[in-house]
Amino acid sequence: MANGDTIVEHRLDAEGIDHLMLAGVNDRNFQELTQLFGIRLVLRGDRLLLSGEVEAMERAVPVIQHLIELARLRAPFDVHDIARFAESFDVLGHGGVLPHEEELRIALPGSRKVITPKSEGQRGYMESIRDNDVVIGIGPAGTGKTYLAVAHAVDALYKKRVRRIVLARPAVEAGENLGFLPGDLQEKVDPYLRPLYDALEDMMPPERMRRALEDRTIEIAPLAYMRGRTLSDAFVILDEAQNATTAQMKMFLTRLGLNSRVVITGDKTQIDLPRTSDSGLLQVERILGGIDGIAIVYLDAMDVIRHRLVKDIIRAYAEAGDDESA
């Protein structure tokens, strides 16, 4: 047990896990844990042996137990997730463990993707989408706002909870003028809608996605195309909502029909409208809070799931008071 006054050993049950998933390629995950906590890890059969100082072990063990559970369930994570898990556990305390909640796990047919929340903020966001008809997700780039919303939409379509998916975005951003772009109207707007296609391509087999787009089971369109329609029996996502005007936002929200769900995503630091006050995202944040069935969820740098430097970049811009963001 003790190997001196402060060095202790601990054994964790690793039975039934995917060893490569837990340790990482060339033991990269173990190396990351050693760097974060200053502990030593050795995987022997169905036992993971840990050794290190008492304080470090107290911080490390809950995180490693979480990783073991993910590996046991074949729920993917990578080396960049480990630091986020560690931060979340430090913030929440040892009683605030981020368990792998089965009801939030999205396993998509025809894809090897198993989508789970990777931070406390993402867990709250996914719970809100599950429990509310209208969800407004506000946060910086890389927090999974759009990706998780699309995952819920595809899951609802596969489970026949809705008959179609409608994905919309404001078509004009960052001062661009579509009239100066080459091609027909669809070719002009496709670059603005590309992130939505990317999310779908990551979750659906190519042939199934192609058929769904052709028969309009899935529709991806500029926000202006929503005018005059009623969207019933649909999962509807408005992405980049900070660039929807107040009039467009009201128009969009009043399209909601029977048996439909809406997720609105946006980043208040990336408003490209001529006047920030014209943003419909800022307005709905102010006037729709407290309405039963509408949830407003805030994500922050702790929830960033891109390269670890993205979180530091976001914080640096915030501290500098500069809202210009790529």
Short mmCIF file of all heavy atoms in Angstrom, two decimals, residues 1-11 37-41 49-58 61:
data_model
loop_
_atom_site.label_atom_id
_atom_site.label_comp_id
_atom_site.label_asym_id
_atom_site.label_seq_id
_atom_site.Cartn_x
_atom_site.Cartn_y
_atom_site.Cartn_z
N MET A 1 0.83 -1.20 0.00
CA MET A 1 0.00 0.00 0.00
C MET A 1 0.87 1.25 0.00
O MET A 1 1.25 1.75 -1.02
CB MET A 1 -0.94 0.01 1.22
CG MET A 1 -2.04 -1.04 1.13
SD MET A 1 -3.24 -0.64 -0.16
CE MET A 1 -3.87 0.90 0.44
N ALA A 2 1.21 1.75 1.21
CA ALA A 2 2.01 2.96 1.26
C ALA A 2 3.45 2.65 0.94
O ALA A 2 3.99 1.65 1.32
CB ALA A 2 1.89 3.60 2.64
N ASN A 3 4.08 3.53 0.26
CA ASN A 3 5.48 3.37 -0.11
C ASN A 3 6.21 4.65 0.30
O ASN A 3 6.78 5.36 -0.49
CB ASN A 3 5.58 3.13 -1.62
CG ASN A 3 6.98 2.74 -2.03
OD1 ASN A 3 7.76 2.29 -1.20
ND2 ASN A 3 7.29 2.93 -3.30
N GLY A 4 6.11 4.98 1.61
CA GLY A 4 6.57 6.26 2.11
C GLY A 4 5.39 7.01 2.69
O GLY A 4 4.30 6.50 2.82
N ASP A 5 5.61 8.25 3.08
CA ASP A 5 4.56 9.01 3.74
C ASP A 5 3.47 9.46 2.79
O ASP A 5 2.30 9.59 3.17
CB ASP A 5 5.17 10.23 4.45
CG ASP A 5 6.02 9.82 5.64
OD1 ASP A 5 5.77 8.74 6.17
OD2 ASP A 5 6.92 10.60 5.99
N THR A 6 3.81 9.77 1.52
CA THR A 6 2.82 10.37 0.63
C THR A 6 2.56 9.55 -0.63
O THR A 6 1.65 9.88 -1.38
CB THR A 6 3.27 11.78 0.22
OG1 THR A 6 4.53 11.71 -0.45
CG2 THR A 6 3.38 12.69 1.42
N ILE A 7 3.36 8.52 -0.91
CA ILE A 7 3.17 7.73 -2.13
C ILE A 7 2.28 6.53 -1.81
O ILE A 7 2.55 5.78 -0.87
CB ILE A 7 4.52 7.23 -2.69
CG1 ILE A 7 5.44 8.42 -2.99
CG2 ILE A 7 4.30 6.40 -3.95
CD1 ILE A 7 4.92 9.38 -4.02
N VAL A 8 1.21 6.39 -2.62
CA VAL A 8 0.30 5.27 -2.42
C VAL A 8 0.09 4.54 -3.74
O VAL A 8 0.37 5.08 -4.81
CB VAL A 8 -1.07 5.74 -1.86
CG1 VAL A 8 -0.91 6.37 -0.49
CG2 VAL A 8 -1.74 6.69 -2.83
N GLU A 9 -0.41 3.33 -3.63
CA GLU A 9 -0.77 2.54 -4.81
C GLU A 9 -2.27 2.27 -4.76
O GLU A 9 -2.86 2.19 -3.67
CB GLU A 9 0.00 1.22 -4.85
CG GLU A 9 1.49 1.40 -5.04
CD GLU A 9 2.20 0.05 -5.11
OE1 GLU A 9 1.55 -0.97 -4.85
OE2 GLU A 9 3.42 0.05 -5.42
N HIS A 10 -2.84 2.12 -5.93
CA HIS A 10 -4.29 1.86 -6.01
C HIS A 10 -4.54 0.96 -7.21
O HIS A 10 -3.91 1.12 -8.26
CB HIS A 10 -5.05 3.19 -6.16
CG HIS A 10 -6.53 3.04 -6.02
ND1 HIS A 10 -7.15 2.89 -4.80
CD2 HIS A 10 -7.52 3.04 -6.95
CE1 HIS A 10 -8.46 2.80 -4.99
NE2 HIS A 10 -8.70 2.88 -6.28
N ARG A 11 -5.48 0.02 -7.07
CA ARG A 11 -5.84 -0.89 -8.15
C ARG A 11 -7.27 -0.64 -8.59
O ARG A 11 -8.17 -0.55 -7.75
CB ARG A 11 -5.66 -2.35 -7.70
CG ARG A 11 -4.22 -2.75 -7.46
CD ARG A 11 -4.14 -4.18 -6.90
NE ARG A 11 -2.76 -4.62 -6.76
CZ ARG A 11 -1.99 -4.31 -5.72
NH1 ARG A 11 -2.47 -3.55 -4.74
NH2 ARG A 11 -0.74 -4.74 -5.67
N PHE A 37 -1.39 14.48 -13.83
CA PHE A 37 -1.48 14.20 -12.39
C PHE A 37 -0.15 13.80 -11.74
O PHE A 37 -0.07 13.72 -10.51
CB PHE A 37 -2.50 13.08 -12.15
CG PHE A 37 -3.89 13.42 -12.61
CD1 PHE A 37 -4.46 12.76 -13.68
CD2 PHE A 37 -4.63 14.40 -11.96
CE1 PHE A 37 -5.75 13.07 -14.11
CE2 PHE A 37 -5.91 14.72 -12.37
CZ PHE A 37 -6.47 14.06 -13.45
N GLY A 38 0.86 13.49 -12.55
CA GLY A 38 2.12 13.07 -11.97
C GLY A 38 2.07 11.69 -11.35
O GLY A 38 2.75 11.41 -10.36
N ILE A 39 1.25 10.80 -11.91
CA ILE A 39 1.11 9.45 -11.39
C ILE A 39 1.66 8.45 -12.41
O ILE A 39 1.92 8.79 -13.56
CB ILE A 39 -0.36 9.11 -11.08
CG1 ILE A 39 -1.19 9.14 -12.36
CG2 ILE A 39 -0.92 10.06 -10.03
CD1 ILE A 39 -2.60 8.64 -12.19
N ARG A 40 1.80 7.21 -11.97
CA ARG A 40 2.28 6.13 -12.83
C ARG A 40 1.15 5.13 -13.03
O ARG A 40 0.43 4.81 -12.09
CB ARG A 40 3.49 5.44 -12.19
CG ARG A 40 4.12 4.34 -13.03
CD ARG A 40 5.45 3.92 -12.42
NE ARG A 40 6.06 2.83 -13.17
CZ ARG A 40 5.93 1.55 -12.88
NH1 ARG A 40 5.22 1.18 -11.81
NH2 ARG A 40 6.53 0.62 -13.60
N LEU A 41 0.96 4.67 -14.28
CA LEU A 41 -0.10 3.72 -14.60
C LEU A 41 0.50 2.50 -15.28
O LEU A 41 1.32 2.62 -16.19
CB LEU A 41 -1.15 4.34 -15.54
CG LEU A 41 -1.86 5.61 -15.10
CD1 LEU A 41 -1.08 6.85 -15.57
CD2 LEU A 41 -3.28 5.66 -15.64
N LEU A 49 -3.01 -0.59 -12.40
CA LEU A 49 -2.28 -0.25 -11.19
C LEU A 49 -1.83 1.21 -11.26
O LEU A 49 -1.21 1.64 -12.24
CB LEU A 49 -1.06 -1.14 -11.03
CG LEU A 49 -1.31 -2.65 -11.14
CD1 LEU A 49 0.00 -3.42 -10.97
CD2 LEU A 49 -2.33 -3.09 -10.11
N LEU A 50 -2.16 1.96 -10.22
CA LEU A 50 -1.80 3.37 -10.15
C LEU A 50 -0.89 3.60 -8.96
O LEU A 50 -1.05 2.97 -7.91
CB LEU A 50 -3.05 4.26 -9.98
CG LEU A 50 -4.28 3.96 -10.86
CD1 LEU A 50 -5.42 4.88 -10.47
CD2 LEU A 50 -3.91 4.12 -12.32
N SER A 51 0.05 4.53 -9.09
CA SER A 51 0.87 4.92 -7.95
C SER A 51 1.20 6.39 -8.08
O SER A 51 1.41 6.91 -9.18
CB SER A 51 2.14 4.08 -7.86
OG SER A 51 2.94 4.25 -9.02
N GLY A 52 1.22 7.07 -6.93
CA GLY A 52 1.53 8.48 -6.93
C GLY A 52 1.27 9.09 -5.57
O GLY A 52 0.90 8.39 -4.62
N GLU A 53 1.47 10.39 -5.47
CA GLU A 53 1.23 11.07 -4.21
C GLU A 53 -0.26 11.09 -3.89
O GLU A 53 -1.10 11.06 -4.78
CB GLU A 53 1.78 12.49 -4.26
CG GLU A 53 3.29 12.55 -4.39
CD GLU A 53 3.82 13.97 -4.32
OE1 GLU A 53 2.99 14.91 -4.19
OE2 GLU A 53 5.05 14.13 -4.38
N VAL A 54 -0.57 11.16 -2.61
CA VAL A 54 -1.95 11.04 -2.15
C VAL A 54 -2.86 12.07 -2.82
O VAL A 54 -3.93 11.73 -3.35
CB VAL A 54 -2.03 11.19 -0.61
CG1 VAL A 54 -3.48 11.25 -0.17
CG2 VAL A 54 -1.29 10.05 0.07
N GLU A 55 -2.45 13.32 -2.83
CA GLU A 55 -3.30 14.37 -3.39
C GLU A 55 -3.53 14.15 -4.88
O GLU A 55 -4.66 14.31 -5.39
CB GLU A 55 -2.66 15.74 -3.16
CG GLU A 55 -3.54 16.90 -3.65
CD GLU A 55 -2.91 18.25 -3.36
OE1 GLU A 55 -1.91 18.31 -2.61
OE2 GLU A 55 -3.43 19.25 -3.90
N ALA A 56 -2.48 13.76 -5.60
CA ALA A 56 -2.61 13.50 -7.03
C ALA A 56 -3.54 12.33 -7.29
O ALA A 56 -4.35 12.35 -8.23
CB ALA A 56 -1.24 13.24 -7.64
N MET A 57 -3.43 11.28 -6.48
CA MET A 57 -4.29 10.11 -6.65
C MET A 57 -5.75 10.45 -6.38
O MET A 57 -6.65 9.96 -7.06
CB MET A 57 -3.82 8.99 -5.72
CG MET A 57 -2.44 8.45 -6.07
SD MET A 57 -2.47 7.36 -7.51
CE MET A 57 -3.00 5.85 -6.71
N GLU A 58 -5.99 11.31 -5.40
CA GLU A 58 -7.37 11.69 -5.10
C GLU A 58 -8.01 12.41 -6.29
O GLU A 58 -9.21 12.26 -6.54
CB GLU A 58 -7.40 12.59 -3.86
CG GLU A 58 -7.13 11.85 -2.56
CD GLU A 58 -7.11 12.78 -1.36
OE1 GLU A 58 -7.08 14.02 -1.57
OE2 GLU A 58 -7.12 12.27 -0.21
N VAL A 61 -8.01 9.39 -9.60
CA VAL A 61 -8.82 8.17 -9.59
C VAL A 61 -10.22 8.37 -10.15
O VAL A 61 -10.68 7.57 -10.98
CB VAL A 61 -8.85 7.55 -8.17
CG1 VAL A 61 -9.93 6.47 -8.08
CG2 VAL A 61 -7.48 6.95 -7.83
#
